[in-house]
Amino acid sequence: MSQKILIVGAGPGGLSTAMRLAAAGYEVSIYEAADRVGGRMRGLSVGDYHFDTGPTILQVPRVYEELFAACGLNFYDYVTLTRLDPNTRIKFWDNTHLDLSSDLASFKQQLATFGADLPEAFDRWYIEHLRKDVIGYGPYLGSPVRSPLGYLKPTEIAAALPFRPWETLYQHFERFFPDERLVYAMGYQAKYLGMHPTACSSVFSLVTFLEFHYGIWHPKGGFRALAGGLARAAQDLGVQIHLNSPVRQVVVEEGKAKGLLLADGTRVMADAVVINADFGHAVQNLLPAHARGPYTDRKLDKMEFSCSTFMLYLGVDRRWEDLPHHQLYLSENIRRHDPMWAKSAVLDEENPSFYVCNPTIVDPANAPEGHSTLFVLVPIPNLRHGIDWSTKQAPYRERILRQMAKLGYEDIERHIVAEHCYTAESWRDEHRTHLGAVFNLIHSWNQLGPLRPHIRHNGAKGLYWIGGAVHPGSGLLTILEAAKSAAHFIGEDLPTLQRTAHLV
């Protein structure tokens, strides 16, 4: 008889963990509160306009290919990808711009307009990161987390030292590219971590390299379709997915997770439980007090959570074929290094930086013919910082719509047919995200690797976490790597007959 695993939440972490566990011989069921899969990736529709709500950038397709292959499946039987070019257009505070592109020859031609020596500097940076990828990805991003002492292997330390991991991301890029515009263009991925380039480690330059090396991709049908593909694959492997099934609490008895108590009062018992809900919310709301381990309210208050995001989902009555899929405007204020501004703990009401996704140019089915959907994201303070969104939301919307002209979306208000807005409160209330912190725990030095919450919960046996709070961190790519680690730890703690036979 197979071991039974219950998963709370059908986000990408829960779905990919379910796939790996089912392929390994476990009986897996997912309980999801919403009416569809995907978590923050589940999307929304306003009339005839269909929007992604979470990630919009797919990196390193091989991670998805490897996930499906490990389960005996072909990723491309479930999901169709389109490669984007450019990867992202960066518009600077001085009205210049740079197209980040995996066409390296074209990219270096652009760099030459910023400085004659910059193409050669990029070559040096790129060659260094070919080595950094080998040394850093597998042992750190692609492997189960170790204890802090486990990262003190002399050979690994010696291999990492040439990459100067003690530098900030800002210092790292400044060594190669002395033009501050290029420093921010190359380091903007720090926002994936909920951080500023001056506040996070240079180890994350690997993310920038991965985008150059493997490109940026878009799943046909949007990330909603990616979630659907993961769900279909999980079901083909035997996973049971229960929608509209909110969980009231994890059942913990005698120090061990033994099942779930659903909101309707039903108890479902199992051999282990995996939580794919937001970490801060789940600790406070899904765990009994005696099973929280070290994560008391006081501990959560001391942990550093990311910024939130102000979102506009706009259905508009025209197309912008001449504008790229991904655009980012970096205002003068991105150059402010004081801590409150660097962590987006101040609401920039004058000249905020922002991002626009224009997916209809490659995926027209998300809007009526000749129309578009636009996804607009602005980093804002999380709910620790006391913004009164009942008074700020309307004027902030007006500010952002005016800002959009900086990226070529002039007079956008005249074209809006459908609209939906998120504030930090929306993320808290609609997606049960602690503090509205959409990038979860930041990746500061005291919250990296083994210093993040462990996949094995420290408060009850047989209870595991999956998502952006655990190693290796926030973002789709890293959450899929965490799913591999979760299956590894569960396999160690609760071997199936299939695994035991393999080990023999």
Side-chain angles (χ1 to χ4, degrees):
M1 185 175 178
S2 60
Q3 308 270 27
K4 186 172 183 180
I5 312 288
L6 303 181
I7 298 178
V8 182
L15 292 168
S16 50
T17 302
M19 288 174 60
R20 288 186 177 275
L21 291 173
Y26 296 91
E27 181 184 342
V28 184
S29 294
I30 301 176
Y31 289 84
E32 167 57 51
D35 61 358
R36 56 196 181 279
V37 300
R40 284 178 224 162
M41 200 166 78
R42 66 180 180 252
L44 64 85
S45 295
V46 183
D48 294 329
Y49 300 88
H50 310 290
F51 301 92
D52 284 327
T53 47
T56 57
I57 292 175
L58 190 147
Q59 309 155 308
V60 196
R62 67 168 171 80
V63 173
Y64 300 82
E65 296 164 1
E66 290 169 1
L67 164 65
F68 279 69
C71 300
L73 302 174
N74 178 4
F75 175 58
Y76 298 104
D77 289 339
Y78 295 85
V79 179
T80 300
L81 297 183
T82 300
R83 188 166 189 156
L84 304 177
D85 187 38
N87 291 348
T88 306
R89 174 168 294 169
I90 311 290
K91 187 77 171 286
F92 300 108
W93 50 87
D94 64 355
N95 210 35
T96 58
H97 78 271
L98 178 69
D99 284 350
L100 303 182
S101 174
S102 296
D103 180 343
L104 300 186
S106 170
F107 179 67
K108 287 190 288 184
Q109 286 179 349
Q110 291 183 78
L111 283 181
T113 68
F114 287 79
D117 58 338
L118 293 177
E120 187 272 333
F122 178 79
D123 283 338
R124 285 189 287 109
W125 178 85
Y126 195 84
I127 290 168
E128 175 178 301
H129 280 72
L130 288 169
R131 298 194 302 272
K132 193 172 187 176
D133 185 25
V134 173
I135 291 168
Y137 192 99
Y140 296 99
L141 289 181
S143 297
V145 70
R146 300 170 243 163
S147 69
L149 291 176
Y151 288 94
L152 298 180
K153 295 180 179 179
T155 54
E156 290 186 3
I157 293 173
L161 286 178
F163 302 118
R164 304 160 69 103
W166 57 87
E167 289 185 327
T168 67
L169 196 61
Y170 184 96
Q171 291 167 334
H172 166 82
F173 282 119
E174 189 179 38
R175 277 197 297 113
F176 289 92
F177 311 104
D179 187 317
E180 194 170 27
R181 292 171 297 178
L182 300 182
V183 172
Y184 282 109
M186 301 286 276
Y188 84 90
Q189 290 91 341
K191 271 302 170 198
Y192 298 170
L193 316 171
M195 300 185 73
H196 189 270
T198 59
C200 67
S201 168
S202 64
V203 299
F204 295 107
S205 65
L206 187 56
V207 178
T208 306
F209 167 78
L210 292 173
E211 293 192 355
F212 275 116
H213 193 62
Y214 293 103
I216 292 294
W217 302 76
H218 174 78
K220 182 179 180 182
F223 285 74
R224 313 173 304 284
L226 174 61
L230 291 168
R232 288 193 304 278
Q235 289 171 321
D236 287 349
L237 292 163
V239 176
Q240 298 294 312
I241 300 176
H242 304 272
L243 302 176
N244 299 301
S245 299
V247 172
R248 183 186 303 171
Q249 194 171 78
V250 177
V251 176
V252 180
E253 297 172 348
E254 300 173 340
K256 186 178 187 306
K258 296 190 175 180
L260 301 174
L261 174 64
L262 304 185
D264 65 6
T266 304
R267 283 169 62 100
V268 187
M269 308 311 286
D271 298 291
V273 173
V274 179
I275 301 178
N276 182 218
D278 177 80
F279 178 77
H281 170 84
V283 163
Q284 293 180 307
N285 294 278
L286 298 184
L287 296 184
H290 64 83
R292 286 177 63 167
Y295 300 108
T296 61
D297 287 348
R298 184 177 179 184
K299 170 71 171 174
L300 286 178
D301 287 343
K302 290 182 176 180
M303 298 173 82
E304 293 186 272
F305 286 84
S306 77
C307 63
S308 188
T309 56
F310 183 89
M311 309 293 305
L312 291 175
Y313 305 102
L314 304 176
V316 292
D317 64 3
R318 60 158 293 185
R319 301 278 292 273
W320 281 271
E321 300 284 355
D322 57 325
L323 297 180
H325 192 285
H326 299 298
Q327 278 200 96
L328 181 66
Y329 170 68
L330 297 179
S331 88
E332 185 82 24
N333 288 333
I334 195 73
R335 304 165 77 186
R336 298 184 63 160
H337 296 180
D338 45 298
M340 294 297 282
W341 278 85
K343 65 172 65 172
S344 297
V346 176
L347 183 66
D348 187 347
E349 298 182 73
E350 298 303 320
N351 189 19
S353 299
F354 67 99
Y355 159 81
V356 178
C357 183
N358 175 29
T360 316
I361 58 173
V362 297
D363 201 355
N366 61 29
E369 187 174 355
H371 292 215
S372 300
T373 62
L374 299 175
F375 169 116
V376 186
L377 180 155
V378 192
I380 58 171
N382 69 36
L383 292 172
R384 274 187 179 155
H385 301 288
I387 307 298
D388 180 3
W389 285 108
S390 66
T391 60
K392 292 290 187 184
Q393 180 173 336
Y396 206 65
R397 169 192 178 272
E398 298 302 317
R399 162 57 64 188
I400 300 308
L401 293 177
R402 291 195 297 274
Q403 286 284 91
M404 289 180 69
K406 297 177 185 292
L407 293 183
Y409 298 98
E410 291 88 2
D411 299 318
I412 188 71
E413 277 195 280
R414 293 195 303 110
H415 298 284
I416 296 173
V417 178
E419 179 177 350
H420 195 77
C421 178
Y422 276 10
T423 68
E425 293 173 351
S426 310
W427 288 115
R428 177 195 65 195
D429 299 340
E430 295 183 31
H431 289 270
R432 299 178 180 86
T433 303
H434 182 59
L435 300 174
V438 295
F439 304 109
N440 219 301
L441 295 168
I442 68 168
H443 297 68
S444 54
W445 277 109
N446 62 342
Q447 293 183 170
L448 277 182
L451 303 180
R452 296 179 81 76
H454 201 284
I455 287 172
R456 285 184 174 118
H457 178 57
N458 183 10
K461 293 182 178 180
L463 182 59
Y464 305 85
W465 295 98
I466 184 66
V470 300
H471 173 82
S474 58
L476 263 181
L477 168 68
T478 43
I479 287 171
L480 261 65
E481 293 290 4
K484 181 169 63 177
S485 296
H488 167 82
F489 289 126
I490 292 169
E492 285 189 336
D493 299 343
L494 197 70
T496 62
L497 293 176
Q498 179 175 322
R499 176 181 171 87
T500 304
H502 173 71
L503 292 175
V504 171

